[in-house]
Amino acid sequence: MIIIFGNGYKDYVEAKGKFICPNCNIIQIYEVKTQREFFKLFFIPILPISEKSKPLVECKSCMNCFNTNILRQNNYYLDGSIVQE
C-alpha cells in the first residue's frame, strides 16, 4: 500500500471586483487572495500548518499581484460602478 502525504498551499479568494491595473493600464477584473499551508494526505488538505498570508490583489488578465493599497480610489464593482468610500 502506498501512502502519499506532504504539504502544500491552498488559495482563498476573499473578494472580487474591477480596478485599473498598473501593468495593463485599463480596467481589469481582480481577486483578493490569501494562502494557507496545509498538511495533505492523498492530495487532500487535512491540517492547517500556518496562518493565512497577507492579502494580495491579483489581476486576472496579466496575473500580476499587487499590495491591497492599489485599491484605494481605484476600486469598481463588477458591474463597473465605482465603490464609494
Side-chain angles (χ1 to χ4, degrees), residues 34-46:
T34 57
Q35 286 185 338
R36 192 169 190 181
E37 190 173 14
F38 277 84
F39 171 77
K40 293 184 176 185
L41 183 62
F42 295 107
F43 305 106
I44 300 170
I46 304 294

Side-chain angles (χ1 to χ4, degrees), residues 5-81:
F5 64 93
N7 60 338
Y9 290 93
K10 183 176 178 183
D11 292 334
Y12 295 93
V13 176
E14 305 290 342
K16 291 183 180 183
K18 290 184 176 183
F19 76 133
I20 300 174
C21 176
N23 190 45
C24 302
N25 292 321
I26 58 173
I27 293 179
Q28 297 288 358
I29 295 175
Y30 72 83
E31 289 181 348
V32 177
K33 290 186 172 183
T34 57
Q35 286 185 338
R36 192 169 190 181
E37 190 173 14
F38 277 84
F39 171 77
K40 293 184 176 185
L41 183 62
F42 295 107
F43 305 106
I44 300 170
I46 304 294
L47 292 169
I49 297 174
S50 67
E51 297 295 321
K52 278 189 177 181
S53 65
K54 288 183 177 180
L56 291 175
V57 178
E58 180 184 76
C59 175
K60 297 310 290 176
S61 178
C62 65
M63 304 304 283
N64 282 337
C65 292
F66 306 98
N67 194 324
T68 55
N69 293 337
I70 197 77
L71 296 179
R72 289 191 183 136
Q73 303 297 325
N74 186 16
N75 195 2
Y76 299 87
Y77 291 112
L78 287 174
D79 65 0
S81 60

